[in-house]
Amino acid sequence: MTTTTEVDDSMRNGVDTATLFATLDAVKQAPEAAKFQFRAHNQWQSGTHNRGTIADYFGVGEERTHERTFVFDADHPAVLVGQDHGPTPVEFVLHALAACLTAGLANIAAARNIKLTEVRSTVTGDIDLNGILGLDPEVRNGYEQIIVRFTIKGDAPADKLRELLEQSRARSAVYDVITNGVPVTIEVDAA
Amino acid sequence: MTTTTEVDDSMRNGVDTATLFATLDAVKQAPEAAKFQFRAHNQWQSGTHNRGTIADYFGVGEERTHERTFVFDADHPAVLVGQDHGPTPVEFVLHALAACLTAGLANIAAARNIKLTEVRSTVTGDIDLNGILGLDPEVRNGYEQIIVRFTIKGDAPADKLRELLEQSRARSAVYDVITNGVPVTIEVDAA
């Protein structure tokens, strides 16, 4: 029983809380370890179809690679003059937001000793394509608004489950990027 | 020869320019057709591992679905206390930016009668995880800066190829979202 309890305690919600807290302590001692650079590579295929690969990154002081190379096609559907080989680029943004809030929520629940049984979400983004089509200068290119709807079930009262999501939002990298923006520099080698 | 030329003219860079211009004309006549809602669904798996699906969307006045359901796992690598079942959420943001700029560039090149032979890019995002770890209140949660590096080859002078990317940036939905931000509303059903 003791052994089982210890395993449960250190692996709540599939989160290795012992490692999580050890990582926090390590970064407190060496803040430079927390400087990461993430990367995505892309190669145009044809028309609006292109292929992204995610593999290498820098973190904890050295170059690293994911355990495998992740490959993602992006495209437009036929109604937007593509061939639907993958989601549109703007859909990947919504996926990123849901994924970030969900991962944070699971970590925070584990740290607060709350067992989750279900976490589902749908993210919607409203966009008026008169913007990117250049047909209405009053319309922006990007989403006008994004709405995230979560369903969370677990062994804590509803207000405690809501607080998990609020803390996840307060510490979400993607939520910060989308709501506050990031400076982007573009360089070109053309021949 | 005439037939071949016509085919080439209407399918430059894999872009069906006849349909592209017809779509623009149709939206000019009925601006409401350009109102889209994109969506991503997500289900938590375990720990930082969760699974996104992209399938349904609304556009041109009706509910639509992609030709197939796209499924994307997201996770953290071991060094960030995950199991590396997929890219991190923040890496999907970089992929979305590269994909959006690339798709726009191919469309614009076709409209300008420029034949592309190669378009590659790498997007890097610098992030200090002292922010999301809550260890330094001076550090933001999201990327501090994002840099996009493109290599573009085609049958036009280098300055014309650079102009393609500049116009793509000026009309990119994801570039707008990332540089200018979008209001995000979060709703929770907790039990």
Side-chain angles (χ1 to χ4, degrees):
Chain A
M1 279 301 284
T2 306
T3 305
T4 306
T5 305
E6 282 172 0
V7 168
D8 285 346
D9 276 0
S10 70
M11 282 298 291
R12 283 189 292 273
N13 302 320
V15 176
D16 184 344
T17 52
T19 302
L20 182 62
F21 291 128
T23 301
L24 275 164
D25 286 339
V27 175
K28 274 182 204 167
Q29 301 304 316
E32 282 294 310
K35 298 209 168 185
F36 275 64
Q37 181 180 79
F38 291 110
R39 301 162 191 157
H41 307 281
N42 190 284
Q43 183 130 23
W44 174 60
Q45 303 295 307
S46 178
T48 51
H49 178 208
N50 56 79
R51 183 165 294 152
T53 52
I54 295 173
D56 55 305
Y57 63 101
F58 177 92
V60 198
E62 61 187 69
E63 286 294 319
R64 296 174 181 274
T65 53
H66 285 289
E67 288 189 23
R68 62 183 180 87
T69 297
F70 303 110
V71 180
F72 305 104
D73 284 24
D75 199 355
H76 289 189
V79 71
L80 294 173
V81 202
Q83 299 202 296
D84 218 4
H85 289 294
T88 60
V90 285
E91 289 171 298
F92 280 107
V93 173
L94 305 182
H95 166 61
L97 180 57
C100 195
L101 292 169
T102 301
L105 192 145
N107 274 343
I108 295 159
R112 294 183 182 181
N113 203 10
I114 294 173
K115 186 176 187 302
L116 297 170
T117 51
E118 185 176 3
V119 181
R120 284 184 294 112
S121 59
T122 293
V123 184
T124 60
D126 295 309
I127 188 167
D128 182 343
L129 300 183
N130 282 293
I132 64 170
L133 294 173
L135 296 176
D136 186 343
E138 300 296 308
V139 176
R140 70 178 292 180
N141 295 321
Y143 286 120
E144 295 167 275
Q145 65 167 345
I146 292 172
I147 298 175
V148 186
R149 291 180 180 86
F150 264 89
T151 298
I152 307 171
K153 295 180 183 171
D155 71 356
D159 63 325
K160 295 294 178 194
L161 297 177
R162 287 173 194 275
E163 285 171 17
L164 296 177
L165 184 56
E166 171 49 30
Q167 182 60 22
S168 179
R169 185 201 62 73
R171 284 288 166 227
S172 165
V174 177
Y175 179 87
D176 176 26
V177 166
I178 292 178
T179 56
N180 295 317
V182 177
V184 175
T185 303
I186 301 182
E187 300 172 0
V188 197
D189 178 13
Chain B
M1 279 301 283
T2 305
T3 305
T4 306
T5 305
E6 282 172 0
V7 169
D8 284 345
D9 276 1
S10 70
M11 283 298 292
R12 283 189 292 273
N13 301 322
V15 176
D16 184 343
T17 53
T19 301
L20 182 62
F21 291 129
T23 301
L24 275 164
D25 285 339
V27 175
K28 274 182 203 167
Q29 300 303 315
E32 283 294 310
K35 297 208 168 185
F36 276 63
Q37 181 180 80
F38 291 110
R39 300 162 191 156
H41 307 280
N42 190 284
Q43 184 130 24
W44 174 60
Q45 304 295 307
S46 179
T48 52
H49 178 209
N50 56 79
R51 182 165 294 153
T53 52
I54 295 173
D56 56 304
Y57 63 101
F58 177 91
V60 198
E62 60 187 70
E63 286 293 320
R64 297 173 180 275
T65 53
H66 284 289
E67 288 189 23
R68 61 184 182 86
T69 296
F70 303 110
V71 180
F72 304 104
D73 284 24
D75 200 355
H76 288 189
V79 70
L80 294 173
V81 202
Q83 300 202 298
D84 218 4
H85 289 292
T88 60
V90 285
E91 289 171 299
F92 280 107
V93 172
L94 305 182
H95 166 61
L97 180 57
C100 195
L101 291 169
T102 301
L105 192 146
N107 274 342
I108 294 159
R112 296 183 180 180
N113 204 9
I114 293 172
K115 186 175 188 301
L116 298 170
T117 51
E118 185 176 3
V119 181
R120 285 184 293 110
S121 60
T122 293
V123 184
T124 61
D126 294 308
I127 189 166
D128 182 343
L129 300 182
N130 282 292
I132 65 171
L133 293 173
L135 296 176
D136 186 343
E138 300 296 307
V139 175
R140 70 178 293 179
N141 295 320
Y143 286 122
E144 295 167 278
Q145 65 165 347
I146 291 173
I147 298 176
V148 185
R149 292 181 179 87
F150 264 89
T151 298
I152 307 172
K153 295 179 183 173
D155 71 356
D159 62 328
K160 296 294 177 193
L161 297 177
R162 286 173 194 276
E163 285 170 19
L164 296 178
L165 184 58
E166 171 49 29
Q167 181 61 21
S168 179
R169 185 202 61 74
R171 284 290 166 225
S172 166
V174 176
Y175 179 87
D176 176 26
V177 166
I178 293 177
T179 55
N180 296 317
V182 176
V184 176
T185 303
I186 300 182
E187 300 172 0
V188 196
D189 178 14

